[in-house]
Amino acid sequence: MWSGRSSFTSLVVGVFVVYVVHTCWVMYGIVYTRPCAADGNCILPYLARRPKLQLSVYTTTRSNLGAENNVDLVLNVEDFDVESKFERTVNVSVPKKTRNNGTLYAYIFLHHAGVLPWHDGKQVHLVSPLTTYMVPKPEEVNLLTGESATQQIEAEKKPTSALDEPVSHWRPRLTLNVMVDDFIFDGSSLPADVHRYMKMIQLGKTVHYLPILFIDQLSNRVKDLMVINRSTTELPLTVSYDKISLGRLRFWIHMQDAVFSLQQFGFSEKDADEVKGIFVDTNLYFLALTFFVAAFHLLFDFLAFKNDISFWKKKKTMIGMSTKLWKVKKALKMTVVWRGLRPQFQFGTYSESERKTEEYDTQAMRYLSYLLYPLCVGGAVYSLLNVKYKSWYSWLINSFVNGVYAFGFLFMLPQLFVNYKMKSVAHLPWKAFTYKAFNTFIDDVFAFIITMPTSHRLACFRDDVVFLVYLYQRWLYPVDKSRVNEFGESYEEKPPRKPRAD
C-alpha cells in the first residue's frame, strides 16, 4: 500500500502528464485542419487553376485606399510564382507628411498579370504600416571622454525635452507569404484564424477561395528600426517572399495575435520585440522541444521544493551546512514558517561540530572577500574605461547588477569549502540538489534561445560549474554505508524478511 507522501507525488506527476498531453492536443488542433470530406459544402483553392499572377506593392500616407490616386508603385513582380522564394531591396520615397512624424502604409496586391489591381475582381490585398512610433534610443557615449558610439546623422540638433517624445521609425523589412497548399476547406467548419484572411468567389457551381496572402509582422524587429529624419527623402525597403504551409500559417497567426494582445495590455514595442525573438530566431521544432523542457522545469521546481521541505523537517542540526549558501538559506527560511518542525532543531544551542562548521564557513567567506571586492571594483572601472553607456546612472546600475551576479556565484562556494574541511557531503540535501541541477541544465537551454545580456547568460552556467564540483566531492567523499545514522539504521543492513504464510 502506498504511503501518503508517495501518493501525493504520484498525483502531482499524474496531473503533470495530463497537462502535457492536453497541451499537445491543443497545439495539434492549431496546426491540423480537417479537410472537406463531402462534395456539397467544400471550398476549393483558386491556385489549383494555376492562374498567372502579379505582385504589386504601393505606398501611401492614407490608411484607406479608395482609388489609384496618391499612391507610389515601389515594386512590381510580373509572372509571380508562388513557389519561388525571392528578396528584393527598393528605395521608397518618403513624403513630407511622413517626415513630420506621419505614417506611411504599404498596400500589397496579388492580382492577375497584366491587369491593374483596381480593375481586377479577383485580387487580394493587405495593408501594413511601414512606420511605427517609438522613443529614440539614447546615444551611448564614453562617460570619461565623451566619445560617442556612432556618428551624429541629423543635421539639426533636437532639444533635450524632445528626446523622450516618440518619433516615427522606419521598418526596413516587409515579409510576405502565400499559402500554397492545395487544401480543400470544409465550409461548415472553417478555422476562425484563417477565415479572416480568406476571400471567396463563386465559379460555376463551386466556391473557391483566392490565394491567402499573409504579412509576417513578427519579422519586424526593434534592432532594425531607423529613425526618420526631416532631411531624409528616400529609405530602403527589403521585400522578401516565401511560401508557407497551412499548419505553419495558422501557428504564425496565433503567435502574431498573442504579441498584439500583449501590446494592447500595455507592453511597449521593445517588450513585445523580446517575445518576437523567441519565435523568429528559433526553429519551430526546437521551440516545441523548448515547451516540453519548460514543462519539466515546472515539475522539477515542485519536486525540488518538496524535497527541500522534507530535508529540513528531518534536519536536527546545522552540522556541515553553510549559512552563506543562499539557496539553502532560502529553503531554510521557508521551512521555518512551516508547522511540524522537530523541536530538537535549535538555533541557539551549538555543538562542537556546529562551531567548526560555522568557523569553516566564516573562513571561506573571508578568503572569498579577498577575491570578491577587487573583482567587482575592477570590473566597474574596466567597464567605465572601455564600455559606452547612455548615462552615469546606466553605468551604476550595470555595475550593481554585475556585483549581484558575482555575489550570487561566490555565495555558493563556501559550502564547497565546508565539505572539503569536513571531508563529507552526507549532510547535503542531494535529492533537492539533483532536481535543481536538472533545472539548471534546462536554464542553459533557455540561455541559447532567449535574448538576454551576456552577464545574465553567463550566470546561467555558473550553477553548472558548482554542481559538477559537488558531484566530484560526492565521489571523493563517499558515504560510509556501514555507519549507523541518527535513525539507528545502516545502508548495509538488509530489512528482515517477513515469514511467508503457508
Side-chain angles (χ1 to χ4, degrees):
M1 190 171 181
W2 288 355
S3 63
R5 183 183 307 171
S6 60
S7 299
F8 179 69
T9 305
S10 301
L11 175 63
V12 172
V13 174
V15 172
F16 167 77
V17 173
V18 172
Y19 165 74
V20 172
V21 173
H22 176 265
T23 306
C24 293
W25 177 255
V26 172
M27 296 298 296
Y28 176 76
I30 292 177
V31 299
Y32 173 76
T33 307
R34 186 179 64 182
C36 183
D39 296 332
N41 201 19
C42 294
I43 304 177
L44 305 179
Y46 183 74
L47 281 178
R49 305 169 69 95
R50 301 296 184 265
K52 290 185 178 180
L53 300 176
Q54 182 174 338
L55 179 69
S56 302
V57 180
Y58 296 86
T59 59
T60 179
T61 57
R62 297 182 299 175
S63 58
N64 296 320
L65 186 61
E68 52 185 308
N69 299 325
N70 300 321
V71 295
D72 291 330
L73 178 64
V74 296
L75 179 63
N76 186 23
V77 182
E78 299 179 354
D79 296 330
F80 175 69
D81 184 8
V82 295
E83 298 286 346
S84 300
K85 178 181 178 181
F86 72 85
E87 181 173 298
R88 298 183 186 179
T89 301
V90 295
N91 291 325
V92 178
S93 299
V94 183
K96 184 178 180 180
K97 182 179 179 181
T98 305
R99 296 197 299 267
N100 293 331
N101 248 13
T103 305
L104 189 65
Y105 298 92
Y107 279 81
I108 303 95
F109 288 91
L110 189 59
H111 55 99
H112 284 87
V115 181
L116 290 176
W118 291 272
H119 304 155
D120 186 6
K122 298 184 181 63
Q123 57 84 15
V124 292
H125 73 275
L126 289 176
V127 58
S128 175
L130 295 178
T131 58
T132 183
Y133 288 100
M134 195 175 64
V135 177
K137 182 181 179 181
E139 188 179 12
E140 295 181 349
V141 298
N142 189 297
L143 298 177
L144 297 180
T145 62
E147 180 185 357
S148 61
T150 58
Q151 297 294 330
Q152 187 75 15
I153 301 178
E154 297 188 37
E156 68 273 13
K157 296 290 183 178
K158 291 186 177 181
T160 307
S161 59
L163 295 178
D164 296 332
E165 298 178 0
V167 298
S168 292
H169 285 66
W170 178 255
R171 290 175 172 171
R173 190 170 189 85
L174 182 62
T175 304
L176 308 176
N177 302 113
V178 173
M179 199 276 288
V180 297
D181 296 349
D182 290 336
F183 190 84
I184 302 177
F185 286 96
D186 188 352
S188 59
S189 59
L190 279 176
D193 44 20
V194 182
H195 189 197
R196 67 177 187 262
Y197 287 92
M198 295 177 64
K199 181 179 178 182
M200 287 166 279
I201 58 173
Q202 186 81 28
L203 296 178
K205 296 183 180 180
T206 58
V207 179
H208 290 70
Y209 64 91
L210 295 175
I212 300 178
L213 182 63
F214 178 73
I215 300 177
D216 183 6
Q217 300 288 359
L218 296 181
S219 299
N220 295 326
R221 305 298 304 278
V222 170
K223 62 182 179 181
D224 299 327
L225 295 179
M226 304 165 57
V227 178
I228 300 178
N229 306 318
R230 294 184 178 181
S231 58
T232 303
T233 58
E234 284 188 347
L235 285 171
L237 176 64
T238 301
V239 181
S240 62
Y241 166 79
D242 197 4
K243 62 182 180 179
I244 191 171
S245 62
L246 177 59
R248 186 183 178 92
L249 172 65
R250 295 191 61 190
F251 178 79
W252 227 238
I253 292 175
H254 281 272
M255 295 305 104
Q256 286 196 171
D257 290 345
V259 173
F260 179 76
S261 299
L262 292 178
Q263 292 176 324
Q264 295 300 309
F265 280 114
F267 278 66
S268 65
E269 185 85 19
K270 295 180 180 179
D271 296 333
D273 185 73
E274 297 295 334
V275 181
K276 290 181 182 179
I278 299 177
F279 303 108
V280 177
D281 300 336
T282 309
N283 184 275
L284 287 183
Y285 296 103
F286 190 64
L287 192 63
L289 177 63
T290 304
F291 160 73
F292 289 102
V293 170
F296 280 101
H297 192 289
L298 180 64
L299 177 64
F300 291 146
D301 270 336
F302 166 77
L303 294 177
F305 177 75
K306 171 184 171 296
N307 283 277
D308 266 339
I309 298 298
S310 301
F311 174 81
W312 288 106
K313 286 184 68 175
K314 294 179 181 179
K315 194 70 175 175
K316 296 181 179 180
T317 65
M318 287 293 290
I319 297 176
M321 303 301 297
S322 169
T323 59
K324 306 298 187 299
L325 182 58
W326 67 273
K327 287 186 177 180
V328 177
K329 190 174 182 180
K330 178 181 178 182
L332 178 61
K333 290 179 179 179
M334 295 174 62
T335 312
V336 167
V337 300
W338 279 61
R339 296 182 180 180
L341 281 178
R342 293 173 177 265
Q344 298 93 336
F345 196 83
Q346 301 289 338
F347 289 94
T349 304
Y350 294 96
S351 63
E352 183 64 26
S353 298
E354 288 176 305
R355 291 191 182 93
K356 287 185 177 180
T357 300
E358 188 170 339
E359 178 184 348
Y360 297 151
D361 199 13
T362 305
Q363 185 179 0
M365 284 305 301
R366 185 172 68 251
Y367 292 155
L368 289 175
S369 64
Y370 299 153
L371 174 66
L372 175 65
Y373 299 115
L375 184 64
C376 293
V377 174
V381 174
Y382 175 83
S383 62
L384 181 62
L385 296 175
N386 298 277
V387 182
K388 297 177 176 61
Y389 293 95
K390 303 173 185 177
S391 62
W392 286 95
Y393 178 76
S394 178
W395 167 78
L396 188 64
I397 293 298
N398 184 77
S399 301
F400 281 147
V401 169
N402 291 333
V404 169
Y405 286 137
F407 272 93
F409 176 68
L410 296 179
F411 273 13
M412 293 187 291
L413 300 182
Q415 184 64 60
L416 299 176
F417 184 77
V418 173
N419 298 341
Y420 165 74
K421 298 296 289 186
M422 300 191 71
K423 300 294 188 292
S424 174
V425 294
H427 43 268
L428 297 179
W430 281 103
K431 283 188 177 180
F433 273 10
T434 302
Y435 291 126
K436 291 178 180 179
F438 287 147
N439 276 350
T440 298
F441 298 142
I442 293 174
D443 291 338
D444 297 342
V445 176
F446 285 109
F448 285 105
I449 67 174
I450 298 179
T451 304
M452 62 181 65
T454 304
S455 55
H456 187 78
R457 182 166 292 170
L458 293 176
C460 293
F461 298 98
R462 68 187 183 189
D463 293 350
D464 300 345
V465 178
V466 176
F467 182 72
L468 291 177
V469 178
Y470 277 132
L471 291 181
Y472 174 72
Q473 288 185 333
R474 184 177 176 84
W475 171 81
L476 193 63
Y477 312 128
V479 177
D480 186 4
K481 297 185 178 182
S482 63
R483 180 172 60 86
V484 178
N485 59 19
E486 64 270 22
F487 302 105
E489 299 173 348
S490 173
Y491 286 99
E492 291 186 351
E493 292 181 359
K494 295 182 179 180
R497 293 185 177 182
K498 295 182 179 181
R500 296 177 58 183
D502 296 334

